[in-house]
């Protein structure tokens, strides 16, 4: 008789199951538009040239060893990573009220932030504080906050399926009507999965209401640089909120913009009211880190820190990032052009209006099923595609497949606009 | 009167709408009520050591290996493995949630032995974790979800971080007698006595070898009796093995207790760390294993472990696991590693012997046998807090208040000085 005989089989994580199915598929023209990782035009993973250079530096530096990092991580990583988000000239940094916790990827940074908020925000251990995530959002957001103990996770209106854009009025409505002190998880740029970001004017309005209603700002920044190709542009929203004097958290991931997916490089930037608050916050963060992973892994953070702290390497990195962003923009333009040329019903402007790695195509579940089963083009049931999965070799096939799916599977969800 | 009334209103509002917590104005902070966290006892030691200007100072708090020149050591097998990996120019794609498959496999083989029936039948699930801490945390979360509400029994004393890890995961901690301060050895009778009273199905944590912080391990015959009583009480065994190879110098010998328990039919949980035995501290390399009844159960458990891991860090870091897997699976690197582990363990054993010899030479009349009886990185000297304080103040020897010293900080160059200092405060 086993103590674990009653453990039920859990459902697999959807995005990884999709990749698995893709891998098992023997169809020669199969295309993987699922998991969010960059691919070259040859459909291959890409280790950034700057990363290769820095790894060589590390391997040949005899002074470097594998000793434990401090609990909060590599100091030069934490500070340079926060600078990337907030800007070199950030007054908040100059006022010594910005700190950071090196974490295991963006997930780890969200986790640390969530755990801290559950313990100390809005009272002590107030698990009833509502946490708002966008509808839709990255599928792991919910689990991160739920696992941290929050009992009330809700969604705020975000994606308007009919007009295939931001439901701004709905978003503002939720901001106005939610309980005070609610926590809001905001995507800094390149919203996952919709690729649809608020404009600057819209961000200003969002900030105004959040300040007025004492809502907590928690940014998720997983694509800085990757969205527009420009680091500062992609950080505009985060920096605006900092300038509006919010005390806030920003979870940063370097998985995509450094291509360091499996080294788990993340940073939780903390913007506090003053240095004293910051000190106390970080001391409590240490306690949380110690019971979760003790101290973070060194390799990835080292690569990022060396890069960000060298003028030459930093320039090379920005160049590499632009390469990735530009290829995505090109694929967007081409996909839209091809769909228009095919005369595929509906408008496809959203493909180029959206930004970042993902596009919410607007395909409904039936059409997605057609794509996967009949055409061996793998995408999430939400209709989300990873633009990086497109190449000059497969874009025609994908466009044709979308065309077929749309024309063969007419469904009331798919409205046409001309 | 009005004030009382308004307080009542606020109180009621607080009840109706639980999200109404502390009201903050624009100029105040959300975090005004956040207290400063307590300073870390071990870090405090290192910090004080750094500030000390005495050229003869010694840092015996550090839980990381140092060579005889007191420097950080990167193992040759690690450097060689790194060169191999660099040459392969591999991509950086996400690992699976459970980590690098070939690492998990060799990690389990290292602990259980290649021919273990468990591995052959595939009834274990082993996942890569964020070193030992991450492994224990996943284990604690798993138990909390699927084996709660049961208490976890730790040896007294145990690694300081065990308690907060399990507590954070929502489990309650209790203890069984382990260390006997009067002998600086194992309180075997006390342990058996306490274990015999542990409620059925509780979780019992056992240190596989090189007990931290005492360095006191049960002898094989004693392990056998512990196994019997644990079986009788129907307890769930959780082994923490952070020092395989590092304790005796022999990886099989150090894993003996783990393998014996499995042989005896315990379906154990096991945490492994490669921080010390491969010197991969900052790369965070570890494994978590659940020995299940059969492959079907292993699959179900695996699926649940993934659900637990995903919202914490999604998937583990590659670098250290790749190094460890390369070492374990490349025959000449593996031999080199075994040699180097043996070397580290031997240096520690030699330092223990020299410390005892040094104390005799100083004229100490106490028995210091426990220093050589104990095993692994740490030694519970038996020094009392006042004696520790004197040792630190008068001789600049830094250690934790409980009398624990890390033998890794002792070298042939300073062992004589240490003996002198210890004698001075204990004579």
């Amino acid at each position: 008789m086993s103590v674990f005989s009653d453990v039920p089989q859990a459902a697999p994580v959807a995005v990884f199951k999709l990749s698995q199915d893709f891998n098992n598929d023997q169809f020669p023209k199969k295309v993987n538009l699922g998991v969010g990782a960059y691919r070259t035009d040859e459909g291959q993973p890409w280790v950034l040239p700057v990363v290769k250079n820095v790894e060589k530096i590390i391997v040949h530096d005899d002074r470097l060893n594998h000793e434990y990092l401090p609990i909060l991580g590599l100091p030069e990583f934490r500070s340079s990573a926060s600078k990337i988000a907030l800007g070199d000239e950030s007054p908040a940094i100059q006022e010594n009220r910005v700190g950071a916790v090196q974490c295991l990827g963006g997930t780890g940074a969200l986790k640390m932030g969530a755990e801290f908020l559950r313990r100390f925000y809005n009272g002590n251990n107030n698990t009833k504080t509502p946490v708002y995530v966008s509808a839709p959002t990255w599928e792991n957001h919910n689990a991160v906050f739920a696992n941290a103990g929050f009992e009330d996770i809700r969604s705020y209106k975000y994606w308007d399926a009919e007009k295939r854009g931001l439901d701004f009025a709905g978003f503002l409505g939720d901001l106005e009507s939610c309980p005070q002190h609610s926590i809001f998880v905001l995507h800094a740029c390149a919203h996952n999965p919709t690729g649809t970001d608020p404009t600057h004017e819209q961000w200003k309005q969002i900030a105004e209401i959040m300040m007025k209603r004492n809502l907590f700002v928690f940014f998720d920044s997983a694509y800085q640089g990757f969205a527009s190709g420009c680091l500062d542009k992609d950080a505009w929203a985060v920096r605006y909120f900092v300038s509006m004097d919010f005390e806030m958290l920003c979870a940063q991931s370097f998985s995509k913009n450094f291509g360091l997916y499996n080294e788990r490089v993340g940073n939780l930037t903390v913007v506090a009211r003053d240095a004293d608050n910051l000190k106390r916050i970080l001391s409590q963060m240490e306690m949380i880190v110690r019971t979760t992973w003790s101290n973070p892994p060194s390799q990835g953070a080292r690569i990022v820190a060396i890069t960000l702290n060298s003028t030459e390497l930093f320039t090379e990195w920005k160049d590499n990032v632009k390469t990735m962003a530009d290829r995505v923009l090109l694929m967007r333009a081409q996909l839209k052009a091809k769909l228009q040329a095919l005369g595929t019903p509906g408008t496809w402007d959203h493909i180029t209006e959206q930004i970042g790695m993902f596009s919410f195509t607007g395909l409904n579940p039936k059409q997605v099923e057609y794509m996967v089963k009949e055409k061996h083009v793998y995408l999430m049931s939400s209709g989300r595609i990873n633009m990086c999965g497109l190449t000059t070799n497969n874009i025609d096939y994908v466009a044709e497949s979308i065309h077929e799916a749309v024309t063969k599977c007419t469904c009331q969800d798919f409205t046409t606009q001309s | 009167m009005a004030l009382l009334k308004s307080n009542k209103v606020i109180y009621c509002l607080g009840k109706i709408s639980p999200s109404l917590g502390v009201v903050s104005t624009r100029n105040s902070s959300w975090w005004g009520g956040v207290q400063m966290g307590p300073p870390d006892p071990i870090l405090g030691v290192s910090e004080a050591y750094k500030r000390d200007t005495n050229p003869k100072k010694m840092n015996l708090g550090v839980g990381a290996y140092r060579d005889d020149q007191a420097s950080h050591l990167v193992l040759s097998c690690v450097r060689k493995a790194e060169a191999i990996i660099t040459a392969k120019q591999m991509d950086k794609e996400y690992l699976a949630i459970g980590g690098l498959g070939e690492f998990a496999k060799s990690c389990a083989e290292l602990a259980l032995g290649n021919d273990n029936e468990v591995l052959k039948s595939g009834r274990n699930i082993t996942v890569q974790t964020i070193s030992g801490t991450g492994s224990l945390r996943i284990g604690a979360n798993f138990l909390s979800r699927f084996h709660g509400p049961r208490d976890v029994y730790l040896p007294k004393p145990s690694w300081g971080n065990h308690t907060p890890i399990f507590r954070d995961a929502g489990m309650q901690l209790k203890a069984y007698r382990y260390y006997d301060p009067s002998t600086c050895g194992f309180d075997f009778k006390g342990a058996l006595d306490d274990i015999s009273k542990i409620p059925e199905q509780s979780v019992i944590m056992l240190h596989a070898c090189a007990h931290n912080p005492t360095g006191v391990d049960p002898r094989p015959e004693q392990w056998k009796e512990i196994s019997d009583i644990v079986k009788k009480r129907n307890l769930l065994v959780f082994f923490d093995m952070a020092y395989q190879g590092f304790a005796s110098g022999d990886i099989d010998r150090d894993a003996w207790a783990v393998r014996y328990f499995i042989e005896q039919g315990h379906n154990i949980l096991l945490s492994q760390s490669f921080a010390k035995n491969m010197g991969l501290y900052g790369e965070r390399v570890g494994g978590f294993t659940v020995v299940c009844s059969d492959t079907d159960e292993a699959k179900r458990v695996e699926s649940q472990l993934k659900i637990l891991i995903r919202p914490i860090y999604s998937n583990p870091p590659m670098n250290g696991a790749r190094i460890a897997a390369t070492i374990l699976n490349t025959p000449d690197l593996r031999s080199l590693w075994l040699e180097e582990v043996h070397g580290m363990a031997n240096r520690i054993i030699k330092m223990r012997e020299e410390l005892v010899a040094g104390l005799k030479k100083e004229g100490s009349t106490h028995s210091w046998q426990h220093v050589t009886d104990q095993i692994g990185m740490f030694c519970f000297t038996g020094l009392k807090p006042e004696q520790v304080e004197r040792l630190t103040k008068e001789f600049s020897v830094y250690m934790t208040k409980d009398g624990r010293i890390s033998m890794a900080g002792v070298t042939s160059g300073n062992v004589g000085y240490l003996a002198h200092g210890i004698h001075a405060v204990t004579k």
Side-chain angles (χ1 to χ4, degrees), chain A residues 2-11 13 15-16 37 39 45 47 51-52 55 59 62 64-68 71 104 107-108 111 116-117 119-123 126 128 130 138-140 143-144 147 179-181 211 214 216 244 247 255-256 259-264 273 277 279-281 283-284 287 290-299, chain B residues 18-24 26-32 34-38 40 43 63-64 66 72 74 78-79 82 86 89-95 97 130 133-134 137 142-143 145-147 161 164-165 168 201 236 269 275-276 279-284 290 293 297 299-301 303-304 307 310-319 323:
Chain A
S2 162
V3 289
F4 301 127
S5 48
D6 290 337
V7 171
Q9 176 79 28
V13 177
V15 67
F16 299 131
R39 292 284 176 272
V47 177
V51 168
K52 287 192 178 160
E55 283 186 317
V59 125
D62 278 332
L64 293 176
N65 53 44
H66 294 290
E67 293 298 301
Y68 287 127
I71 295 172
L104 285 264
T107 305
K111 165 72 172 178
F116 179 81
L117 289 173
R119 284 166 173 71
F120 298 107
Y121 175 69
N122 201 25
N126 189 349
K128 301 220 190 303
W138 181 48
E139 40 75 40
N140 204 19
V144 170
N147 260 257
Q180 281 213 33
H181 312 304
M211 180 60 79
N214 290 309
F216 189 83
M244 288 289 109
E247 288 182 291
S255 290
K256 282 84 174 172
L260 285 173
Y261 308 94
N262 69 18
E263 298 295 3
R264 314 315 291 127
R273 179 68 64 227
N277 270 293
K279 197 172 68 160
R280 285 180 283 107
I281 293 167
S283 75
Q284 294 295 345
M287 308 278 296
R290 239 179 283 152
T291 57
T292 315
W293 53 62
S294 268
N295 43 76
S298 75
Q299 181 73 352
Chain B
S19 66
L20 267 184
V22 176
V23 175
S24 91
R26 193 187 179 117
N27 290 323
S28 68
S29 165
W30 287 120
W31 316 120
V34 173
Q35 302 298 319
M36 191 68 192
D40 187 290
L43 253 139
R66 298 283 177 269
H72 303 218
V74 176
V78 168
R79 289 240 186 266
E82 286 174 316
T86 307
Q89 298 278 291
M90 289 181 276
D91 66 42
K92 301 214 169 281
E93 295 300 290
Y94 287 123
L95 287 178
I97 299 175
I130 316 297
T133 301
R137 184 50 190 262
F142 180 74
L143 289 172
R145 191 170 279 185
F146 295 105
H147 194 62
N161 210 16
I165 288 173
D168 256 30
Q201 303 225 9
L236 179 53
L269 274 62
K276 283 87 173 170
L280 290 174
Y281 307 91
E283 303 296 338
R284 319 309 291 126
V290 182
S293 324
E297 185 176 287
K299 277 202 171 64
R300 287 183 280 115
V301 168
S303 71
Q304 295 295 344
I307 298 290
R310 170 76 165 153
I312 303 177
Y313 55 85
S314 278
N315 39 71
M318 163 68 94
N319 195 47
I323 294 171

Side-chain angles (χ1 to χ4, degrees), chain A residues 66-272:
Chain A
H66 294 290
E67 293 298 301
Y68 287 127
L69 287 181
I71 295 172
L72 295 180
L74 189 66
E76 53 268 37
F77 166 77
R78 293 158 57 206
S79 53
S80 53
S82 292
K83 273 213 180 99
I84 286 291
L86 269 39
D88 274 331
E89 310 300 317
S90 172
I93 293 180
Q94 281 157 14
E95 288 158 19
N96 294 317
R97 55 189 187 87
V98 173
V101 183
Q102 178 192 336
C103 296
L104 285 264
T107 305
L110 288 162
K111 165 72 172 178
M112 279 303 130
E115 288 285 347
F116 179 81
L117 289 173
R118 192 260 298 160
R119 284 166 173 71
F120 298 107
Y121 175 69
N122 201 25
N124 278 79
N125 208 40
N126 189 349
T127 58
K128 301 220 190 303
T129 302
V131 177
Y132 279 83
V133 298
S134 63
T137 194
W138 181 48
E139 40 75 40
N140 204 19
H141 274 149
N142 227 288
V144 170
F145 283 88
N147 260 257
F150 286 101
E151 295 173 28
D152 187 0
I153 299 166
R154 313 180 184 182
S155 59
Y156 58 91
K157 295 189 192 63
Y158 196 83
W159 172 251
D160 184 334
E162 255 192 64
K163 73 173 218 250
R164 241 166 290 143
L166 179 64
D167 178 4
F168 188 52
F171 189 174
L172 290 184
D174 283 342
L175 287 171
E176 290 282 13
S177 64
C178 69
Q180 281 213 33
H181 312 304
S182 294
I183 295 166
F184 271 72
V185 180
L186 306 171
H187 297 229
C189 69
H191 182 272
N192 177 2
T194 69
T196 300
D197 293 340
T199 62
H200 288 191
E201 278 318 303
Q202 291 172 329
W203 275 124
K204 286 181 179 171
Q205 288 183 62
I206 292 165
E208 199 186 322
I209 303 176
M210 291 190 77
M211 180 60 79
K212 184 180 73 181
R213 306 209 59 244
N214 290 309
L215 305 177
F216 189 83
V217 175
F218 197 152
F219 268 110
D220 184 353
S221 177
Y223 300 98
Q224 190 184 359
F226 204 99
S228 68
C230 170
L231 292 169
D232 295 319
K233 244 182 167 173
D234 290 349
W236 187 89
V238 174
R239 295 175 189 183
Y240 177 75
F241 274 69
V242 172
S243 75
M244 288 289 109
D245 247 3
F246 281 93
E247 288 182 291
M248 49 191 259
L249 296 175
C250 179
Q252 302 168 260
S253 167
F254 291 88
S255 290
K256 282 84 174 172
N257 59 15
F258 258 90
L260 285 173
Y261 308 94
N262 69 18
E263 298 295 3
R264 314 315 291 127
V265 196
N267 196 47
L268 177 69
T269 288
V270 178
V271 183

Side-chain angles (χ1 to χ4, degrees), chain B residues 24 47 120 129 196-197 226 245 357 363 386 389 397:
Chain B
S24 91
E47 252 142 58
K120 290 210 166 102
T129 56
S196 69
K197 300 192 176 83
I226 294 170
E386 323 82 73
E389 208 182 325
V397 173

Side-chain angles (χ1 to χ4, degrees), chain B residues 160-180:
Chain B
N161 210 16
H162 276 149
T163 297
I165 288 173
F166 280 99
R167 218 178 255 152
D168 256 30
M171 303 197 77
Q172 306 273 41
L173 280 311
K174 296 211 157 66
Y176 57 93
R177 273 173 287 170
Y178 189 84
Y179 179 71
D180 185 346

